[in-house]
Amino acid sequence: MYMGYIPEVLKLLEREPIEDTADDQLYFTMAYLDEDFRNEIEMKLDHKSEIFQNIYGVEMDLDLYSEEDKAGGPERYYVKNRSTGTKPAVLHGNGPSKHVLNYFGNYIPNMWNIDEGCTKCKSRQIRLKNKAPYELPLVFLAIFIELNTPFLEEQLEKIHALDYPKEMMHLFIHNNMKYHSGHVKNFTEKYGAEYLSVKHITPEDGTAEWRARDLSLDQCMAKNCDIYFSVDSIAAITNKQTLRLLIEQNRTVVGPMLARNGKAWSNFWGALTKDGFYARSSDYLDIVNNDKRGLWNVPYIANCYMVNATLLKKYDRTVLNFNKANLDPDMAFCSTLRELDVYMYVSNRGDFGHLINYDTYDITRAEPDMYQIFDNELEWEERYIHKDYRSNLLPDHVPRQPCPDVFWFPIASEKFAKALINMMESYGRWSSGKNEDDRIEGGYEAVPTRDIHMTQVGFDPHWIQFLKQFVRPLVLKGFQGYSNHTPHSIMNFAVRYRPDEQPFLKPHHDTSTYTINIALNQVGVDYEGGGCRFIRYNCSVVDTKPGWILIHPGKLTHYHEGLYVTKGTRYIMVSFVDP
Ligand SMILES: O=C(O)CCC(=O)C(=O)O
Ligand SMILES: [Fe+2]
């Protein structure tokens, strides 16, 4: 890089003949080292980077910083060289420092500011609104299930619910996980016919991830697609407009920013290490937390992105592929894109969704998703909490009270009730119903039921969380001022009543301040009889509904019994809270 007045620059260029193929850097160095010549043309080296900044090799010395605009306009961004204290005007990023230049390019010159966000996001945008379906770009949707994934059914539903005509979409699914075979089969049977075509690669095909991804690019080309849209099973796309917005954004490669809820784990990298692995850019957390919104040129993106097929037309699978030097398929792909100087953008201009956390997902359990209350809270609530639960909490909601001080609320979904039964029946070791019980302190139960404790199926912490998060607010609805602390509950168990096993429970007080009693199956369908009678009030609740909770004082006033089950099996879930 150099600048100067034309006569001197010409002298510099004409100092010696030079071949096209020769080393131009050496040519300029020799000219500079020639002291007479240097003095003659007043040649100076910008060794403090006052004007020019080469990025390569000094990445660590360069900081992005902003300055207030004295005229009251938006703040302005510069790069400052920490070791020289200068603010160079020209940045040069070559070779492996290109991604650093791209990072600075997200702000400089005037690309982003606090007030307006990204100022250039709208440039090159296209509009799909008012286009008839057949006028829209042809999309090749490729779904990859490479991990056992909590709540996969919901993710698939969300992908299908994207606002885009299915008659303009081809569907490709690579499922590598046997556990999900049924889920994928259900999905393709339910919706497959709506798509232009369906290609489903099953675990039995034994296709490696990179090969499946390569294949999907080939298939996209074979189908003459305009847009390649890749979605991994862990991408929970909650915004139905995501695909349209990405296409409208009109970049060669662009994806929605997705992160694990409340975590720094996301689907993009803000920076790279020297070896091409993850590094954190100074704006990474601001982007992940949506404190900065925009369209960001980044060195790595995964899990959900679209690729404009013009790129696929340019490079075949020998160049553009997912298989490279033992890298993960995504890393391989992004590394190739960087080498080809193809920019990858991640957008958080809107909220698009989040990433599923698969860290603790244990498919050896019955109902593994039930155990995800901590790691995938949103999905857990969506699947397992009753759709009317929130309305219980409205200020003017008067809770149902079928018997005095017995409160009744919808709390859990039918899926929750079914899952709990399945967890218990899969475990199968129901207690004997005798007084001797080595599961409890003292080894003696005065009023024994046929039951399985939550501890026996490893569900105790999850259950306590459920009590804290969902039950406690209801308790406060019924019993004003109580329970402004974490519910304390050691006895959490599912009960099974059967005519030929234990059909009823004799009158008793519970060892609790309050007891919760959740019906898990349907009277009149799954069993006959049953219910809970409060003897002091001669009042019974017999028309219980799956997923509905009874909350009542445990002792003194609420002496109660479990009524006789005459047919079938009745299941309930009980906790003695604050004993
Ligand atoms: O069967 C019922 O609904 C009552 C169960 C009960 O009281 C208990 O398990 O302590
Ligand atoms: Fe009881």
Side-chain angles (χ1 to χ4, degrees), residues 447-449 451 493 495 497 504-506 508-511 515-517 530-534 541 544 550 552 560-563 565 570 572-576:
V447 195
T449 43
D451 55 36
F493 51 94
V495 183
Y497 293 105
F504 68 97
L505 191 60
K506 67 179 187 186
H508 64 280
H509 294 279
D510 295 332
T511 321
T515 294
I516 67 163
N517 179 334
C532 190
R533 188 169 93 95
F534 297 90
V541 188
T544 55
L550 289 171
H552 62 81
H560 59 285
E561 65 181 324
L563 297 172
V565 172
R570 173 180 180 232
I572 56 174
M573 181 66 218
V574 175
S575 281
F576 298 159

Side-chain angles (χ1 to χ4, degrees), residues 49 104 131 133 154 170 190-191 198 230 237 260 275 278 297 301 313 330 334-335 339 349 352 393 427 482 536 564:
S49 294
F104 292 138
K131 279 196 198 286
E154 282 86 348
H170 292 281
K190 194 165 163 197
Y191 299 120
V198 181
S230 173
I237 307 174
R260 287 185 182 179
D275 319 320
Y278 172 87
N297 186 333
I301 180 164
K313 288 183 186 127
D330 290 318
C334 293
S335 157
E339 278 164 17
R349 292 180 67 194
F352 297 107
L393 305 177
Y427 176 72
Y482 186 71
R536 181 179 164 91
Y564 210 99

Side-chain angles (χ1 to χ4, degrees), residues 389 392-393 399-411 466-467 470-479 482-483 510 512-519 532 534 541 544 548-554 558 560 573-575 577:
Y389 173 76
N392 294 323
L393 305 177
R400 289 172 185 78
Q401 207 174 152
C403 299
D405 286 329
V406 177
F407 295 98
W408 201 20
F409 304 94
I411 186 168
F466 172 73
L467 294 181
F470 299 107
V471 175
R472 211 185 116 218
L474 300 182
V475 173
L476 278 162
K477 271 283 183 182
F479 302 102
Y482 186 71
S483 172
D510 295 332
S512 70
T513 302
Y514 66 88
T515 294
I516 67 163
N517 179 334
I518 305 179
C532 190
F534 297 90
V541 188
T544 55
W548 283 61
I549 186 171
L550 289 171
I551 303 176
H552 62 81
H558 284 67
H560 59 285
M573 181 66 218
V574 175
S575 281
V577 186

Side-chain angles (χ1 to χ4, degrees), residues 390-431:
R390 293 282 155 201
S391 61
N392 294 323
L393 305 177
L394 297 176
D396 52 358
H397 178 82
V398 181
R400 289 172 185 78
Q401 207 174 152
C403 299
D405 286 329
V406 177
F407 295 98
W408 201 20
F409 304 94
I411 186 168
S413 67
E414 267 185 56
K415 283 187 178 162
F416 172 100
K418 287 210 164 80
L420 257 186
I421 295 173
N422 186 33
M423 278 161 66
M424 297 309 178
E425 288 297 356
S426 302
Y427 176 72
R429 279 179 263 164
W430 295 90
S431 64

Side-chain angles (χ1 to χ4, degrees), residues 69-82:
D69 182 60
K70 306 238 162 37
E75 80 280 9
R76 286 175 167 269
Y77 288 84
Y78 301 92
V79 162
K80 197 173 195 167
N81 186 321
R82 217 182 308 129

